[in-house]
Amino acid sequence: DQQVKQNSPSLSVQEGRISILNCDYTNSMFDYFLWYKKYPAEGPTFLISISSIKDKNEDGRFTVFLNKSAKHLSLHIVPSQPGDSAVYFCAAINSGYALNFGKGTSLLVTP
Amino acid sequence: DVKVTQSSRYLVKRTGEKVFLECVQDMDHENMFWYRQDPGLGLRLIYFSYDVKMKEKGDIPEGYSVSREKKERFSLILESASTNQTSMYLCASKTGTASYNEQFFGPGTRLTVL
C-alpha cells in the first residue's frame, strides 16, 4: 500500500522555466517530508525538507510547499537548469526510522 | 562529510548463489538501511537496523537477510539469488530517530542475477 505517491513518472521543462514536481500522501501521521535527487548510477542525495507544521520551505532555487488539508506537497525549481535533470523522489516519515518513498519523477530540463 | 560506501558498484551472480552486499558508514550512525530501486517502483525498504545486532523487516524482506555485527557495517545477504532480485541496491545511514535527520545514501550496487 503506497503511502506516498508521485503520479507523474516524467516531466520535461525548458531551461529557465519553472519545474513543479508533485507528491501526494495518505498517512496524516507523517511529520516530515523530504525530497531526494538521484542521478543515474549514483545514490540519492538530500535536496530539501519540510516539517508538517510549516507550509513552505525555501532553499535557493528550490522551494517545497505543503498543503496538509489536501495531503499534497510540491517541489518548485526556479529557474530550471540542465543540471537539474535527474529523478526526484518524494519521501515522508512518521517519527520513526524509515522513510516512505514515492516512485519518483524523472525531470528533463532541455536547453 | 558523511560517507557511505558499498563494496561493489556492479555485481553479476548466478541463480542460486549466495550473495553478500556490504555497506560501511564512517559517521557513527546508529541506523542503517537497505533499499532496492526498480524502475516504476521507486525505493523500497528491505531491512533496517537501529543498533548493533538489531534488525527490523522493511516492506519487502522476503528472500533477504541482514547482519549488523559492528556499528559501521551493515550487510545484506541473498541466501539463494533469483533473477527477480536483479536490481539496484542502496544502503543508507542516519543518526538518531528525529524525523528531520537526513538519511545519507551510498552509491548503490547494481546486481544482475543470471
Side-chain angles (χ1 to χ4, degrees):
Chain A
D1 182 26
Q2 191 99 19
Q3 297 186 70
V4 177
K5 299 177 184 178
Q6 294 176 258
N7 293 319
S8 298
S10 62
L11 176 68
S12 183
V13 170
Q14 268 194 318
E15 182 178 6
R17 307 293 288 267
I18 184 171
S19 295
I20 300 176
L21 295 91
N22 293 304
C23 178
D24 297 294
Y25 62 95
T26 57
N27 188 343
S28 58
M29 299 301 291
F30 286 140
D31 62 352
Y32 227 80
F33 302 89
L34 304 90
W35 285 92
Y36 279 80
K37 175 179 177 180
K38 186 180 183 302
Y39 293 115
E42 293 184 14
T45 54
F46 170 75
L47 188 59
I48 191 169
S49 63
I50 187 167
S51 165
S52 61
I53 62 171
K54 297 193 173 184
D55 56 17
K56 178 182 175 181
N57 187 28
E58 192 171 352
D59 183 3
R61 297 186 296 114
F62 302 92
T63 303
V64 57
F65 295 92
L66 176 62
N67 182 335
K68 280 189 72 176
S69 60
K71 294 191 177 71
H72 177 83
L73 63 155
S74 59
L75 174 67
H76 293 212
I77 307 173
V78 185
S80 301
Q81 299 174 354
D84 295 329
S85 298
V87 178
Y88 290 78
F89 290 100
C90 173
I93 191 166
N94 171 20
S95 300
Y97 303 97
L99 289 168
N100 293 271
F101 282 91
K103 294 182 179 181
T105 296
S106 179
L107 173 66
L108 177 64
V109 180
T110 57
Chain B
D1 273 355
V2 175
K3 193 160 186 181
V4 181
T5 56
Q6 295 183 229
S7 50
S8 304
R9 294 300 303 271
Y10 300 93
L11 209 52
V12 180
K13 295 292 181 181
R14 297 207 174 273
T15 301
E17 278 193 79
K18 190 168 186 175
V19 181
F20 292 87
L21 303 182
E22 305 286 342
C23 175
V24 177
Q25 50 94 4
D26 66 358
M27 282 301 291
D28 203 36
H29 285 174
E30 300 88 350
N31 309 293
M32 297 187 74
F33 308 83
W34 275 106
Y35 296 87
R36 63 179 280 179
Q37 184 201 356
D38 301 288
L41 296 177
L43 275 73
R44 294 181 292 166
L45 181 67
I46 305 171
Y47 267 98
F48 70 97
S49 168
Y50 53 89
D51 201 350
V52 175
K53 297 193 185 296
M54 305 304 290
K55 61 184 179 184
E56 293 284 344
K57 291 180 180 179
D59 299 318
I60 51 164
E62 296 79 18
Y64 302 95
S65 62
V66 290
S67 172
R68 185 128 181 243
E69 296 297 319
K70 293 185 178 181
K71 191 174 185 180
E72 67 270 18
R73 188 180 296 268
F74 192 34
S75 302
L76 180 69
I77 304 153
L78 287 66
E79 296 289 343
S80 177
S82 63
T83 54
N84 63 11
Q85 292 179 309
T86 292
S87 186
M88 167 72 88
Y89 289 88
L90 293 158
C91 175
S93 73
K94 169 185 166 176
T95 188
T97 59
S99 295
Y100 52 78
N101 288 345
E102 178 188 341
Q103 277 192 25
F104 295 87
F105 283 84
T109 296
R110 171 72 65 186
L111 172 67
T112 301
V113 182
L114 302 175

